[in-house]
């Protein structure tokens, strides 16, 4: 029996508003993403890429159609089930880092494990490992104000991977970073995909950042306009 794809959209449509003011943010999108892929979602402003990411992350639900995760239809989930899927299967990295101020790096990384009810000593051990993975050993007790932008994004990535998620969802992960730091962050994300097998789905409007991904999905006017393989992924220099 064939294994179900990791992620599948079946005729996913998302509407906002009503009547003549209705906005069709997504229009009957079909999409399959397999385990271990690194996918970049692109498109102009208003194309539907952010709406697609919100649905992928169970932060929103389709107006019609189905979103299947490992063959299970998530559109039938209630709020609690969506929360559990996010907590146990998904990791999130945002442009704005979204770290707790005046809180140490290791405490920020521990937070998802607190929500799981994990014992304090085990939380600390796993958070330490995650910080080492992103190159921040020795910075565990620095607060966010004591870290550079690139270091803060590394903390955010450590927080996203500390739960060993199946999927890392990255929304413009280098949007607030300079070119050199952007390269470092993208090499880190690429390593998580290639060496640790984490499926990465990244929204970006920057071609040089998208070039790290092995597959490009381009949205236009709420539809998946182009789906292509990038054979030169991660071989370029910013």
């Amino acid at each position: 029996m064939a294994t179900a794809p990791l992620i599948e959209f079946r005729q996913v449509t998302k509407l906002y508003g009503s009547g003549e003011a209705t906005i069709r943010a997504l229009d009957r999108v079909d999409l399959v993403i397999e385990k271990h892929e690194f996918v970049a979602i692109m498109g102009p402003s208003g194309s539907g890429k952010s709406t697609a990411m919100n649905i992928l992350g169970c932060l929103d639900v389709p107006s019609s159609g189905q979103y299947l995760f490992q063959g299970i239809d998530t559109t039938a989930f209630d709020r609690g089930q969506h929360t559990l899927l996010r907590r146990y299967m998904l990791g999130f990295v945002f442009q704005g880092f979204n770290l707790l101020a005046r809180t140490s790096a290791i405490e920020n990384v521990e937070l998802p494990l607190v929500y799981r009810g994990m014992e304090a000593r085990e939380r600390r051990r796993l958070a330490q490992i995650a910080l080492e993975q992103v190159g921040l050993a020795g910075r565990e007790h620095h607060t966010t104000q004591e870290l550079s932008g690139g270091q803060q994004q590394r903390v955010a990535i450590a927080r996203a991977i500390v739960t060993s998620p199946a999927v890392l969802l990255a929304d413009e992960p280098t949007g607030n970073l300079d070119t050199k730091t952007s390269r470092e962050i993208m090499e880190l994300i690429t390593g998580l995909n290639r060496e640790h097998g984490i499926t990465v789905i990244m929204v970006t409007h920057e071609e040089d950042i998208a070039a790290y991904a092995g597959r490009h999905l381009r949205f236009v006017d709420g539809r998946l306009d182009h789906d292509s393989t990038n054979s030169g992924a991660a071989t370029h220099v910013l």
Side-chain angles (χ1 to χ4, degrees), residues 64-218:
S64 63
Q66 295 175 295
Y67 168 28
L68 283 72
F69 191 93
Q70 295 183 335
I72 299 171
D73 186 3
T74 69
T75 49
F77 283 7
D78 59 25
R79 182 176 297 181
Q81 290 170 309
H82 279 127
T83 298
L84 289 173
L85 179 57
R86 289 195 301 271
R87 186 175 298 170
Y88 286 92
M89 301 302 293
L90 307 176
F92 296 87
V93 178
F94 302 98
Q95 178 177 340
F97 314 144
N98 289 4
L99 300 177
L100 297 177
R102 298 182 297 280
T103 302
S104 69
I106 200 162
E107 288 170 327
N108 269 284
V109 175
E110 284 184 55
L111 194 58
L113 304 178
V114 172
Y115 292 143
R116 286 191 177 188
M118 187 175 288
E119 186 266 337
R121 182 178 297 180
E122 183 66 3
R123 288 201 313 261
R124 187 57 52 102
R125 184 184 74 84
L126 293 176
Q128 181 70 49
I129 291 171
L131 285 168
E132 290 172 1
Q133 278 187 271
V134 301
L136 286 182
R139 301 276 182 171
E140 300 90 340
H141 302 294
H142 287 62
T143 64
T144 53
Q145 292 96 327
E146 296 171 323
L147 299 173
S148 67
Q151 289 170 334
Q152 289 184 52
Q153 192 62 298
R154 287 175 182 267
V155 173
I157 293 170
R159 181 184 59 191
I161 65 173
V162 72
T163 57
S164 299
V167 181
L168 180 66
L169 297 164
D171 191 357
E172 300 282 5
T174 62
N176 287 338
L177 305 175
D178 60 39
T179 300
K180 178 178 180 294
T181 307
S182 294
R183 181 190 302 118
E184 294 171 353
I185 292 299
M186 290 311 304
E187 288 173 351
L188 172 58
I189 291 174
T190 300
L192 292 171
N193 170 250
R194 293 190 172 186
E195 297 165 22
H196 298 276
I198 298 175
T199 302
V200 177
I201 304 174
M202 175 181 68
V203 165
T204 183
H205 67 279
E206 301 177 67
E207 296 286 347
D208 52 356
I209 297 300
Y212 280 90
R215 182 178 169 200
H216 294 169
L217 305 178
R218 190 174 297 275

Side-chain angles (χ1 to χ4, degrees), residues 17-39:
S18 60
E20 294 184 0
T22 298
I23 297 173
R24 189 174 290 267
L26 291 178
D27 187 8
R28 295 166 292 176
V29 174
D30 288 317
L31 171 64
V32 171
I33 296 175
E34 301 287 356
K35 290 180 181 178
H36 312 311
E37 284 198 89
F38 185 169
V39 178

